[in-house]
Every structure is written in C-alpha cells, then in structure tokens.
Amino acid sequence: MLKSFDNKALEELNDSNASENERAKKGLKKRSDFGYAVLFLGPSLLLLGVFVFYPMIKTLYMSLFLTNNFGQTTIFVGLKNYTSLLTSASFLASLSSTFIYVIGVMVLTIVLGLALAVFANQKLKGIQFFRTIFSSTMGVSVSVAAIFFLFVFNPTTGLLNQMAGLLHLPQLNWMTDPNLAMITVIVSTVWMNLGFTFLVLFGALQAVPRSLYDAADIEGASKSYQLFKITIPMISPSLFFVGIVTLIGAFKSFGLIDLMTAGGPNNATNLLVYRIYQDAFLNGNYSQASTESIVLTIIIAVMTIIQFKVLEKRVNY
Amino acid sequence: MDIANSSQRIGKHKFKISNFLQYLLLIILALIVIGPFLLGLWTSFLPTSSITKGSLAGSLTFDNYVTAVQTTPVLRYLLNSFIVSIIRTVGEVLLCSMAAYAFVFLKFKGRNFIFYLFLATMMLPFEAEVIPNFMTVKSMNLLNTYSVMIIPFLTSAFGTFMLRQSFLQIPTDLKEESDVEGLSHFQFYWHVVLPYSKITLLTLAAYSFLSSWNEYLWPMLTTFSDQYRTVQAGLRQMQSTETFNNWGMIMASAVIVVIPTLIILFVGQHFFKSGLNDGSVK
C-alpha cells in the first residue's frame, strides 16, 4: 500500500546527494558516521534480513527442489516445478480466476471510488457527514466485512434473496454458484477498498483548482465533459496510484476468500495466495507452494516496478 | 424588471431541485456504503430465531451482546489485538524513524546501496514468504505467542520511506546549528527530528495500527489458542465452530470488534488525509 512514496524517494535521493555535496563545499567536516549507522539502521536491517530477504531466497531455493512433508528439500529438480506448474490445468485455472478477480476489483473500485469522491467534492451543507461515511469502510477489518457480506449474500436469510423474494425476482445461490461466488468476493473486496480509494481520490480532487471548473462553466461545458476533460486528467496520478495499489492488494487477497468461500465452490475462487496457503499448510506440498510464491512475487514485482517508473514520470497532466 | 425577477426565481427553484437530487444521490451512495454495516448492526439486536426465519423485524434486545461477551472470548481477542497492535505501532514508528534518520543525516559507505535494498523489499510480498517465515518462527519457539505477531513487523520499508521523505524537509540549518551546539546524533534525533515530523509520525502510527489490526493470514497461521488469538483469527475461529449459525451473536461480536477501528479511523482521518496525499498528489 501507499507505495508511491518511493518515486519521490528516488527523486530526492539525488537531491539529498546534492545537498550533501553542498555541505561538503561549505567546509563542514565530512566524516563517516559508521558507528551511528549501525545503531540507527542495524535493528531494521536485521529484521528485514531475517523476515524478508532470507525467506525470499529460501523460497526461491525451495522452488528448485522437491520437498518432504516437513518442508525439507530432498531432490534438486531445477525448473521442473515451474514447467509442471505452468502446464497444470488447475494452476492455470486458479491464475485466470485471479486475473478475473483482480481486474474486476480494480475497475469497480476505481469507478465507485471516483464517483464517491466526485459527489463528495461539492459545496453542500452537511457534506462532511457524507465524506466521513464514504471513508468508513477503511476502518472495517476483513473478518468483520466477511461476516457482514456472508449475511448479505446468505441464500436463505440474506438481505439480497429476501429482497428478491419480496420483489418476486429469482433468488440466487450466491455462495454455491461458481460465477456468483466470484461476484460475491469481488463485491466484498471492492466494498472494503472503497474507504481508502475515496480518501485518496477525494484528496486529489480538492487539489484541482476551482478556477478550471469556473472557466468551463462560463464556456457552458457540460458536467460530463468537465469530468472527462478536467477532473480525470488532473487527478490521473492519483487514479494511477490507487489503481496499482488496488491491483497489488487484490493479487494478495486472502482473508475474504478464506472466510467467505474457502476457494470454492469447485475452486472457482481459489485465488493465488489461497492456493499457496492450501498447498503449503493443508497439503504439505511445500515445493509447489514455493514455486507459486515465486510466481506471485514476479507478478507483484513487475507491478511495483511499473508503479515506480510511471509515477516517476508523474503521469501526464 | 419583472422578467429579471421571474428568471431569478426560476433559477432559485432550479437550484433547489438540483440540490435535492444531489442530496438524494449522496444518501443513496451513503446507504450503499454503510448498508452492510447497518444491516449487521440491526441484526445484532435481533434474536437469532427471527434472523434465521429471514425476518428483519422483531423485538430489539441486547441479548446477543451479553451472550457474545459471556460465552465467547471476543473481549480477550480484542485485548490481544490491542496488545499486538500497540507494541507493533510503537516499534515500527521507532525503528523506521531511526532507519530514516540514518538515510538522511548520517554519512557512511554503502548508504545508497542499503537504501536501494530497502526499496527492493517493497516488491516482495509477505504472502510469498510465509513458508520460510513460519519455519523460522517455529524454530525460534515463537508459535502461539504475542511475539510471533510482533517481531517480524517491527520495521517496514514503507514506514522508513515515508519518514525519510518527511525528514528531508527538515532545514539543513537546524542540523548545522545543532552541530555547532554540540548535540549528539541521538539528541538531534530525539529533540529535533522527531518533534519536527510529528504529523508524519502520527500518520505512520495510525496506518501501522490499522494494518496490524487487520492482519489476517499471519495470526491465523501462528496462533492456536484463544489466549493469543487476535480479533481476525478469533472471529474466524468463532465462525468455524458451532456458533456459526448463531447469527445474532456473530453480528454482535463483529460490531464489538469494528468499533475501536472506526473510532481510530475517524480520529486519525485528518492525519491520514494529509499523509496519503503527500504520497499520491503532487
């Protein structure tokens, strides 16, 4: 989340080097603070080493071996785990469910988040109340959201089927039909994302100069023209930011899947991280789970690099 | 004059209609957003018997809350979540600010290299590293403790970057002055840098607290008893046991669990907004 700080960081890395040179020019003593660096940086480096770098290398290593039930490596097989994984029908099905889920979540999150932000960005009495409500889903944790939505989508007692019954519409098996179950988890995820997306996009909207809209009003431009020609271009960096953060978050989805569908029905919602969890912790197939973890890492790393590169250029206004 | 007047009146009238429509739309959007929550809140006051009949009417009662508190460890889960989240928040703010200080104010060989190393960790998803991490904490005998949910998260590349950005805005004069006055790095860090970046520190703290509170996969994997389960793992436990059909009580527990984070969100919203937009809008 919130990874856009990095592009700034990258830029200002150069800045800080420049100011360092300035300081050196000013004749300040240029000494090494190595001892202090160990004290200030040591704890963080140690933790990242043990819990981020080591496990990454270990996962990569395990993905090149067969493993026993205890997760110990046995036979070196090179890239064979990868070839068998990428030709496995069930993995490819899981990967395609993941892509459907991720795209669905991203598109809906952005469209709805933008709608909330645009409507909250008006000068109306009591608008602050609506803004608070729109941001509120950010405070709802995954287990709570799952409980709420399990109830909304519950086939017999759920709100949706109750309402469908009242309106004489067909009652749908939201949790047991594979396609509907996918919709169920997408909707629940989007709902959870809304608060954060709203806050970011609303903040961006507030930074758009009002004079642009006033000028457009004078020239008689329609509201939809203003939305597509002023609002969206002006906040494109933020749209890109929430888009990619949502994408990365969706690729890592686990909690809602575990709580709402457990990957089912019929593996329809068996997304990548849930599959890793199943293979490692339920089936004891650590080498396959490690291989899947590396696939996940590659996907996330590519996304993150795209994010760095694009945000570095700041997205055209 | 008459014409001017009437057109003005039409204008006013029109304005009211569009105002009304705007409010209507806002209310509909608001209902969609808090609908699931309101439904949960409402059912938490209904007897389970009427919920399972599919009825949303019935006499409102606090029974579900009483049952949840008396027969389930939901309050214990809450306490555990608070303990873990508070320690993690303090630790992350402290360690990240120290690391950020090193990147901004200390000169040492390999600083840029280490900085890029930090940068690289943001590409590595924790979800892809749970297997070795699980083995690590198992070999350290940390399974089913508070420490297992705290220690791996006491620092983060994200927090370090965020604070580094903030520290870079501190005027270099301040550092020079403090050098002249003979302040040590620790004194400068504690008495100047931290107070100067208070807002960013609070933003990171709120963010850190919420993400710790919402952590699901790791507590679920590493805790096996109600003594240590956080609310996320705990609600899962409650769902998977026989209480699953007791909707009223489950809803009451969910409401009990959601209230602290909603309060933190509303209190911290101001900081969040400024912090988030620092990152995305420029």
Side-chain angles (χ1 to χ4, degrees):
Chain A
M1 244 181 154
L2 312 186
K3 287 189 179 166
S4 82
F5 289 96
D6 333 343
N7 63 325
K8 244 173 142 184
L10 268 174
E11 266 172 32
E12 279 166 32
L13 187 67
N14 300 324
D15 292 355
S16 78
N17 285 343
S19 70
E20 197 176 291
N21 292 339
E22 262 170 48
R23 272 182 229 168
K25 268 184 218 156
K26 276 183 194 164
L28 289 168
K29 49 187 174 182
K30 190 172 183 352
R31 53 189 160 63
S32 173
D33 300 313
F34 186 77
Y36 282 109
V38 171
L39 287 172
F40 276 93
L41 208 49
S44 286
L45 264 184
L46 180 73
L47 285 169
L48 290 180
V50 173
F51 293 107
V52 180
F53 291 114
Y54 162 73
M56 204 66 249
I57 293 162
K58 177 85 178 174
T59 304
L60 189 63
Y61 179 80
M62 281 167 73
S63 75
L64 304 174
F65 284 82
L66 295 181
T67 50
N68 63 18
N69 283 343
F70 305 103
Q72 291 155 329
T73 50
T74 51
I75 305 163
F76 179 80
V77 291
L79 293 177
K80 225 181 134 221
N81 286 330
Y82 289 89
T83 52
S84 59
L85 188 70
L86 293 173
T87 52
S88 136
S90 84
F91 179 73
L92 292 178
S94 170
L95 210 53
S96 84
S97 314
T98 308
F99 280 112
I100 292 170
Y101 168 83
V102 161
I103 301 287
V105 166
M106 185 185 72
V107 170
L108 286 175
T109 300
I110 288 186
V111 170
L112 290 174
L114 183 63
L116 293 183
V118 167
F119 285 111
N121 192 30
Q122 308 180 81
K123 281 206 180 97
L124 285 172
K125 238 185 182 169
I127 193 76
Q128 193 54 45
F129 170 74
F130 290 101
R131 290 173 188 164
T132 306
I133 285 184
F134 292 167
S135 64
S136 65
T137 73
M138 199 177 163
V140 180
S141 54
V142 62
S143 59
V144 175
I147 289 173
F148 289 163
F149 278 96
L150 278 172
F151 188 69
V152 170
F153 288 108
N154 187 290
T156 51
T157 61
L159 180 76
L160 279 180
N161 277 354
Q162 290 293 324
M163 277 168 52
L166 284 177
L167 300 170
H168 300 289
L169 292 171
Q171 303 195 335
L172 301 172
N173 289 321
W174 289 101
M175 307 304 296
T176 46
D177 178 285
N179 291 327
L180 293 179
M182 177 59 94
I183 293 176
T184 304
V185 289
I186 289 178
V187 167
S188 311
T189 313
V190 169
W191 185 81
M192 285 195 71
N193 288 344
L194 274 183
F196 171 76
T197 310
F198 165 75
L199 275 183
V200 174
L201 293 182
F202 176 67
L205 281 185
Q206 285 197 309
V208 179
R210 270 235 110 74
S211 57
L212 288 176
Y213 296 106
D214 294 342
D217 275 338
I218 289 168
E219 288 182 21
S222 71
K223 288 285 173 208
S224 64
Y225 181 87
Q226 293 183 18
L227 176 68
F228 287 103
K229 295 291 173 183
I230 301 174
T231 308
I232 290 178
M234 284 301 286
I235 63 165
S236 57
S238 298
L239 282 173
F240 177 80
F241 168 71
V242 289
I244 200 119
V245 166
T246 307
L247 209 62
I248 290 173
F251 269 113
K252 300 197 277 190
S253 273
F254 175 80
L256 275 179
I257 305 297
D258 184 47
L259 289 160
M260 293 184 73
T261 63
N266 205 6
N267 285 325
T269 59
N270 198 350
L271 308 186
L272 202 43
V273 175
Y274 195 75
R275 214 185 135 91
I276 294 172
Y277 159 75
Q278 273 188 323
D279 277 339
F281 295 96
L282 302 181
N283 305 333
N285 192 345
Y286 291 96
S287 60
Q288 182 164 316
S290 299
T291 313
E292 289 161 350
S293 296
I294 297 298
V295 173
L296 174 71
T297 306
I298 291 169
I299 293 174
I300 303 287
V302 169
M303 299 280 159
T304 314
I305 290 167
I306 292 173
Q307 181 190 14
F308 287 0
K309 290 287 169 203
V310 175
L311 280 178
E312 211 174 337
K313 288 180 192 137
R314 282 284 150 71
V315 187
N316 59 323
Y317 283 86
Chain B
M1 174 118 176
D2 266 7
I3 296 166
N5 242 341
S6 66
S7 80
Q8 211 178 359
R9 228 179 294 139
I10 291 168
K12 258 189 186 168
H13 194 58
K14 231 177 160 181
F15 181 65
K16 267 183 192 159
I17 289 177
S18 78
N19 247 8
F20 172 76
L21 284 176
Q22 278 171 336
Y23 276 117
L24 190 71
L25 224 104
L26 281 169
I27 289 168
I28 292 170
L29 287 173
L31 280 180
I32 293 173
V33 173
I34 53 166
F37 176 74
L38 286 183
L39 186 70
L41 190 66
W42 179 255
T43 41
S44 73
F45 290 111
L46 290 178
T48 296
S49 56
S50 49
I51 301 169
T52 41
K53 267 186 271 162
S55 161
L56 284 180
S59 47
L60 299 185
T61 149
F62 274 103
D63 287 357
N64 293 323
Y65 288 88
V66 175
T67 326
V69 169
Q70 283 179 348
T71 65
T72 75
V74 63
L75 292 184
R76 178 77 204 190
Y77 297 153
L78 267 182
L79 177 73
N80 292 341
S81 271
F82 268 111
I83 291 172
V84 169
S85 301
I86 287 170
I87 299 177
R88 258 173 74 163
T89 303
V90 172
E92 192 178 341
V93 168
L94 192 72
L95 289 192
C96 289
S97 64
M98 285 164 62
Y101 183 90
F103 285 129
V104 176
F105 293 103
L106 298 179
K107 299 174 201 83
F108 54 95
K109 239 182 130 183
R111 189 174 78 166
N112 285 358
F113 173 75
I114 296 175
F115 183 74
Y116 282 114
L117 216 59
F118 265 66
L119 200 75
T121 67
M122 298 182 74
M123 289 190 273
L124 309 177
F126 182 79
E127 289 76 4
E129 307 183 313
V130 284
I131 301 165
N133 277 337
F134 185 83
M135 292 171 179
T136 303
V137 296
K138 196 177 167 191
S139 69
M140 291 173 166
N141 276 326
L142 289 178
L143 287 182
N144 209 29
T145 60
Y146 287 130
S147 308
V148 76
M149 294 179 279
I150 294 170
I151 293 171
F153 307 98
L154 282 177
T155 192
S156 72
F158 163 71
T160 306
F161 285 128
M162 190 172 161
L163 293 176
R164 180 182 174 276
Q165 296 319 104
S166 166
F167 292 176
L168 281 171
Q169 287 163 10
I170 295 172
T172 40
D173 302 3
L174 276 177
K175 179 71 186 127
E176 283 158 18
E177 262 171 52
S178 81
D179 281 347
V180 172
E181 281 183 32
L183 284 182
S184 74
H185 276 297
F186 288 111
Q187 286 167 321
F188 181 65
Y189 161 77
W190 193 257
H191 294 295
V192 181
V193 172
L194 291 189
Y196 200 93
S197 307
K198 214 162 44 193
I199 299 287
T200 318
L201 291 169
L202 281 171
T203 309
L204 177 64
Y207 169 80
S208 167
F209 189 94
L210 279 185
S211 46
S212 167
W213 190 275
N214 289 337
E215 185 104 51
Y216 180 84
L217 176 60
W218 189 247
M220 182 204 99
L221 287 174
T222 55
T223 54
F224 328 120
S225 75
D226 290 334
Q227 197 185 347
Y228 296 108
R229 274 195 188 105
T230 57
V231 286
Q232 308 306 326
L235 283 184
R236 178 189 202 255
Q237 181 67 15
M238 280 170 66
Q239 266 199 2
S240 60
T241 51
E242 79 284 3
T243 50
F244 185 63
N245 287 318
N246 194 346
W247 274 109
M249 197 199 68
I250 290 268
M251 285 299 179
S253 312
V255 171
I256 292 173
V257 163
V258 82
I259 285 170
T261 40
L262 280 184
I263 291 173
I264 289 166
L265 177 75
F266 294 142
V267 174
Q269 207 179 60
H270 170 73
F271 300 114
F272 260 103
K273 263 190 222 157
S274 52
L276 292 176
N277 292 320
D278 273 356
S280 59
V281 187
K282 191 77 201 271

